[in-house]
Amino acid sequence: AQSVSQHNHHVILSEAASLELGCNYSYGGTVNLFWYVQYPGQHLQLLLKYFSGDPLVKGIKGFEAEFIKSKFSFNLRKPSVQWSDTAEYFCAVTRSGAGSYQLTFGKGTKLSVIP
Amino acid sequence: NAGVTQTPKFRVLKTGQSMTLLCAQDMNHEYMYWYRQDPGMGLRLIHYSVGEGTTAKGEVPDGYNVSRLKKQNFLLGLESAAPSQTSVYFCASSTLGRAYNEQFFGPGTRLTVL
């Protein structure tokens, strides 16, 4: 079974600082990768996803992520965070192939942006 | 479109009581899922359904039952609630079973079992 590790439990940044949240997965086969965001009191929303092609994926609100297959990583980045980015971020993975639609989530990284 | 909706939003139960959480989606999605979210644990899949009348167990199914009598609805039941089931429950849906398809999440139900 696949698993997902998110390295940071809580990250605190000042506005305009750069962000990188780590995500590593354990599965030897082909995977599809996602980052979801949960703003305070809200449900999860898709930030970006990767399933094939260019390993640098751009998502909403200026976020991007890079899939590095050799490192089993899918780190999330943003060059300059805003207070409104305060949220919890979840990395998730599914295996490619028929019937592989179940998402396995990491434990989440809480981001606090200080004005 | 309302997307994915969940009722109720909040509920407090006593140990041993039963309840049903309702999830509804208006996107004509084939696949529906129930997750629980606990602090520091991320989301864990309880049960899922690949179509009307079919359900399957996820990662943490014990203590829960589900039913999908209509395509748009997915019910999660707790027959005898336990304090360990205190959690936030999220329903999600997706179209077909493609691994790269986005799952759309509902707003969640916060359940406390005393």
Side-chain angles (χ1 to χ4, degrees), chain A residues 22-58:
Chain A
C23 172
N24 286 88
Y25 64 93
S26 65
Y27 179 67
T30 305
V31 294
N32 297 294
L33 297 149
F34 304 78
W35 276 98
Y36 279 84
V37 61
Q38 185 178 29
Y39 297 103
Q42 295 188 27
H43 60 281
L44 275 78
Q45 304 169 46
L46 183 67
L47 207 51
L48 48 79
K49 65 183 180 184
Y50 170 82
F51 54 91
S52 66
D54 189 344
L56 185 61
V57 180
K58 294 194 183 300

Side-chain angles (χ1 to χ4, degrees), chain B residues 25-56:
Chain B
Q25 52 93 5
D26 61 1
M27 298 174 283
N28 201 34
H29 284 171
E30 291 79 8
Y31 292 76
M32 297 186 75
Y33 315 81
W34 274 108
Y35 294 89
R36 60 177 290 172
Q37 183 182 28
D38 302 292
M41 299 293 290
L43 277 80
R44 294 178 291 169
L45 184 66
I46 304 171
H47 285 279
Y48 63 97
S49 169
V50 301
E52 185 177 324
T54 68
T55 63

Side-chain angles (χ1 to χ4, degrees), chain A:
Chain A
Q2 64 265 26
S3 65
V4 178
S5 296
Q6 291 184 241
H7 313 301
N8 308 101
H9 177 62
H10 192 185
V11 173
I12 302 172
L13 295 173
S14 297
E15 274 193 317
S18 64
L19 170 72
E20 180 159 3
L21 301 182
C23 172
N24 286 88
Y25 64 93
S26 65
Y27 179 67
T30 305
V31 294
N32 297 294
L33 297 149
F34 304 78
W35 276 98
Y36 279 84
V37 61
Q38 185 178 29
Y39 297 103
Q42 295 188 27
H43 60 281
L44 275 78
Q45 304 169 46
L46 183 67
L47 207 51
L48 48 79
K49 65 183 180 184
Y50 170 82
F51 54 91
S52 66
D54 189 344
L56 185 61
V57 180
K58 294 194 183 300
I60 61 172
K61 304 186 180 187
F63 286 90
E64 65 179 30
E66 184 175 14
F67 171 51
I68 303 179
K69 188 175 181 180
S70 60
K71 294 185 178 180
F72 299 88
S73 70
F74 190 54
N75 292 354
L76 181 70
R77 301 195 292 245
K78 186 171 184 179
S80 176
V81 294
Q82 301 172 320
W83 176 79
S84 58
D85 293 325
T86 295
E88 191 158 16
Y89 294 82
F90 294 92
C91 183
V93 63
T94 64
R95 291 176 290 133
S96 292
S100 299
Y101 40 79
Q102 296 182 53
L103 278 172
T104 299
F105 284 88
K107 294 183 178 181
T109 297
K110 191 169 293 189
L111 172 65
S112 298
V113 180
I114 302 168

Side-chain angles (χ1 to χ4, degrees), chain B:
Chain B
N1 286 352
V4 180
T5 58
Q6 294 181 231
T7 52
K9 289 186 170 52
F10 304 93
R11 186 73 186 268
V12 179
L13 290 179
K14 293 181 180 178
T15 298
Q17 287 185 317
S18 63
M19 78 162 294
T20 300
L21 282 67
L22 171 64
C23 175
Q25 52 93 5
D26 61 1
M27 298 174 283
N28 201 34
H29 284 171
E30 291 79 8
Y31 292 76
M32 297 186 75
Y33 315 81
W34 274 108
Y35 294 89
R36 60 177 290 172
Q37 183 182 28
D38 302 292
M41 299 293 290
L43 277 80
R44 294 178 291 169
L45 184 66
I46 304 171
H47 285 279
Y48 63 97
S49 169
V50 301
E52 185 177 324
T54 68
T55 63
K57 294 180 180 180
E59 181 186 353
V60 288
D62 293 342
Y64 305 96
N65 56 76
V66 289
S67 64
R68 183 116 181 254
L69 300 179
K70 295 183 179 180
K71 185 178 182 179
Q72 63 268 32
N73 295 339
F74 194 29
L75 279 63
L76 177 71
L78 286 74
E79 290 186 349
S80 179
S84 60
Q85 295 178 303
T86 293
S87 187
V88 181
Y89 292 86
F90 287 98
C91 176
S93 70
S94 67
T95 182
L96 295 178
R98 305 295 184 212
Y100 48 80
N101 275 358
E102 175 184 357
Q103 290 188 17
F104 292 82
F105 285 81
T109 295
R110 186 174 293 274
L111 175 66
T112 301
V113 182
L114 302 176

